[in-house]
Each structure stands twice: as structure tokens, then as C-alpha cells.
């Protein structure tokens, strides 16, 4: 097995991930690297709150155009304006418009697990309007409802995430989970693509924030480890660690 540091550039090497349902996405902003065990910083500044308020004022103005463009399948019509509005909160944030979990669409603003950016996404989320039938709002990339239904297109080949097996070792003292990830497709991939196929299932199962807060060491496994579980069982384990009172 090989120890990996979390590298967002590796995940970006994936050409697409499909969850079995049509969605719309658009994004802008640089990607960054962050260790998985980075804890969030506390304290939202007045500057962050002011920038968040300005974003939501601008969003209210853009919303009719955004809704019309999405309805016509032309998200590029608002991409530049929305990118400028997000950059006004912080230039290093990324955004996407995805299929919503309960609403039709979800606007996702991500700090890419960077603790220095978290106060800006915290302020943005705190000032967000209530979700409605059209839009819901997330301050990190949410988990896929059922990651075992996802197929990743990587290097012109398809990899089903229901074949992923994860060996998890809980460090109760640190509140982290060290993992070894196995996929039978690893054997045919070079190093960077293998790294992408290691992290993509973890992000799909846990979502960006839970993965950043609760994953420690991440390794690829050349053979399926004894005691490994599927992604849904793995997600339940991490969620119980994160919230012992959770019924999930």
C-alpha cells in the first residue's frame, strides 16, 4: 500500500462522475491542496459577513437570469457573472451549480477544505436565504446520495464505485479514520489516475467537509484488504464517529 496526501488536482483529473441522474454544473476558481486532518478555524470576521451580504444582494439580482438560463440548458450565460460574485466573497473559493437534493438545483460554494477560507463560506452560508423549490445552498460539496450508483469516467475508461472496498481504522484519540482504498481497476492505472480513483469515492461517500474533518491517512491498496467494506458501510462508520448520537 502507498500513503497519499490529499491532492485536489488528482481528483480534477477525472473527466466526469455520473450518479445516474442528469444534473447541471458549472464552476470557477483554482483548486488547492490541503491535508485531510486540517481542522476548521473559528471566527467569522465583519469583512467576511459584509462580503457575504453583498453576494446575496447580487444573487437576488442574478437569480431570474440564472433560472432562465438553466431552464434553457445554457448555464454559460451566467457563468462569468456568478464567478465574479463568488470571487467577491473570496477569490480562492470555487462554485458549482448542481442537481439539488430536495430543490431542483443546488448552489455550492466550496473552500476546498482550506481552513483559511472556511470563515468566508461560514459567513456565506449563515447569510443564505431559505431553500425553496428551485434552489438550495451548500457551503461544501455534499455527499452523493448513493455513491455505489456512481460511475467515474477516467482516462477514457469507466470505473464503477460499487466495486470500491475500504479498510477503515478508527483513531478514537484523534477522532480520525485512516483508510486503505481498493478498486480492481487500480492495476491498469498510472500513479496520478490511481490517486484520483482513491479520493473520488471518499468524497462521493462523505462529502467534502466530513472527508476533510474525519479522514486521516489515505492509502491505495494493491489487493483488497481483509475486513474491507463497501462505501455505504464506510460512510455509516464515519458518520457515527462524527456524531455518536446519529441514527444513520
Amino acid at each position: 500500500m502507498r500513503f497519499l496526501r490529499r491532492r485536489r488536482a488528482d481528483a480534477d483529473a477525472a473527466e466526469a462522475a455520473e450518479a445516474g441522474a442528469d444534473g447541471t454544473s458549472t464552476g470557477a476558481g483554482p483548486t488547492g491542496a490541503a491535508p485531510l486532518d486540517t481542522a476548521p478555524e473559528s471566527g467569522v470576521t465583519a469583512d467576511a459577513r459584509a462580503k457575504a451580504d453583498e453576494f446575496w444582494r447580487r444573487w437576488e439580482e442574478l437569480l431570474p437570469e440564472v433560472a432562465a438560463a438553466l431552464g434553457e440548458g445554457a448555464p454559460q450565460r451566467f457563468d462569468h457573472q456568478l464567478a465574479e460574485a463568488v470571487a467577491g466573497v473570496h477569490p480562492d473559493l470555487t462554485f458549482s451549480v448542481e442537481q439539488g437534493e430536495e430543490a431542483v438545483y443546488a448552489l455550492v460554494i466550496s473552500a476546498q477544505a482550506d481552513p483559511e477560507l472556511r470563515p468566508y463560506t461560514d459567513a456565506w452560508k449563515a447569510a443564505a436565504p431559505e431553500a425553496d423549490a428551485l434552489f438550495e445552498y451548500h457551503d461544501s460539496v455534499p455527499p452523493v446520495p448513493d455513491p455505489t450508483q456512481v460511475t467515474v469516467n477516467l482516462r477514457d475508461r469507466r470505473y464503477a464505485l460499487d466495486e470500491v472496498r475500504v479498510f477503515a481504522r478508527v483513531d478514537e484519540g484523534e477522532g480520525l479514520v485512516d483508510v486503505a482504498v481498493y478498486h480492481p481497476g487500480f492495476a491498469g492505472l498510472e500513479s496520478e489516475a490511481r490517486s484520483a480513483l482513491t479520493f473520488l469515492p471518499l468524497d462521493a461517500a462523505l462529502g467534502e467537509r466530513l472527508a476533510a474533518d474525519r479522514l486521516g491517512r489515505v492509502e491505495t491498496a494493491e489487493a483488497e484488504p481483509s475486513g474491507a467494506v463497501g462505501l455505504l458501510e464506510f460512510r455509516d462508520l464515519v458518520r457515527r464517529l462524527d456524531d455518536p448520537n446519529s441514527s444513520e
Side-chain angles (χ1 to χ4, degrees), residues 6 8 17 19 24-25 94-103 105-112 124-125 136-147 150 199-212 235 239:
R6 185 175 191 80
R8 288 288 175 180
T24 301
S25 66
T94 65
F95 76 91
S96 62
V97 177
E98 309 286 352
Q99 181 180 3
E101 297 174 355
E102 298 182 5
Y105 302 108
L107 175 61
V108 181
I109 302 293
S110 172
Q112 294 283 291
W124 177 87
K125 186 66 169 65
E136 59 194 49
Y137 307 99
H138 299 282
D139 59 349
S140 60
V141 179
V144 174
D146 186 352
V150 173
F199 288 114
L200 280 168
L202 302 177
D203 284 340
L206 301 180
E208 174 191 334
R209 183 160 289 197
L210 187 58
R235 175 161 67 190
R239 285 179 172 176

Side-chain angles (χ1 to χ4, degrees), residues 106-132:
L107 175 61
V108 181
I109 302 293
S110 172
Q112 294 283 291
D114 185 339
E116 293 186 3
L117 299 181
R118 286 276 282 267
Y120 293 93
T121 54
D122 287 348
W124 177 87
K125 186 66 169 65
E130 292 292 328
D132 55 27

Side-chain angles (χ1 to χ4, degrees), residues 46-217:
D47 178 63
R49 286 193 293 268
K51 290 178 176 179
D53 289 341
E54 175 59 22
F55 174 90
W56 290 115
R57 184 196 65 77
R58 181 63 176 140
W59 173 253
E60 186 175 358
E61 295 175 351
L62 288 174
L63 187 54
E65 182 179 347
V66 170
L70 289 171
E72 296 169 14
Q76 67 277 5
R77 293 215 312 252
F78 64 80
D79 187 77
H80 179 69
Q81 290 173 289
L82 185 53
E84 286 187 333
V86 172
V89 180
H90 194 286
D92 291 337
L93 295 175
T94 65
F95 76 91
S96 62
V97 177
E98 309 286 352
Q99 181 180 3
E101 297 174 355
E102 298 182 5
V104 178
Y105 302 108
L107 175 61
V108 181
I109 302 293
S110 172
Q112 294 283 291
D114 185 339
E116 293 186 3
L117 299 181
R118 286 276 282 267
Y120 293 93
T121 54
D122 287 348
W124 177 87
K125 186 66 169 65
E130 292 292 328
D132 55 27
L134 185 61
F135 264 101
E136 59 194 49
Y137 307 99
H138 299 282
D139 59 349
S140 60
V141 179
V144 174
D146 186 352
T148 65
Q149 298 299 310
V150 173
T151 298
V152 173
N153 296 324
L154 185 64
R155 300 293 191 264
D156 297 322
R157 295 188 62 183
R158 296 168 65 83
Y159 299 88
L161 297 194
D162 64 357
E163 297 184 72
V164 170
R165 306 293 289 175
V166 182
F167 174 79
R169 181 174 56 248
V170 177
D171 184 334
E172 298 282 357
E174 295 292 333
L176 299 174
V177 182
D178 297 331
V179 300
V181 180
Y182 171 77
H183 191 287
F186 280 164
L189 291 172
E190 70 277 14
S191 177
E192 287 192 3
R194 187 178 297 186
S195 297
L197 191 56
T198 297
F199 288 114
L200 280 168
L202 302 177
D203 284 340
L206 301 180
E208 174 191 334
R209 183 160 289 197
L210 187 58
D213 288 348
R214 290 300 180 186
L215 292 185
R217 291 176 62 93

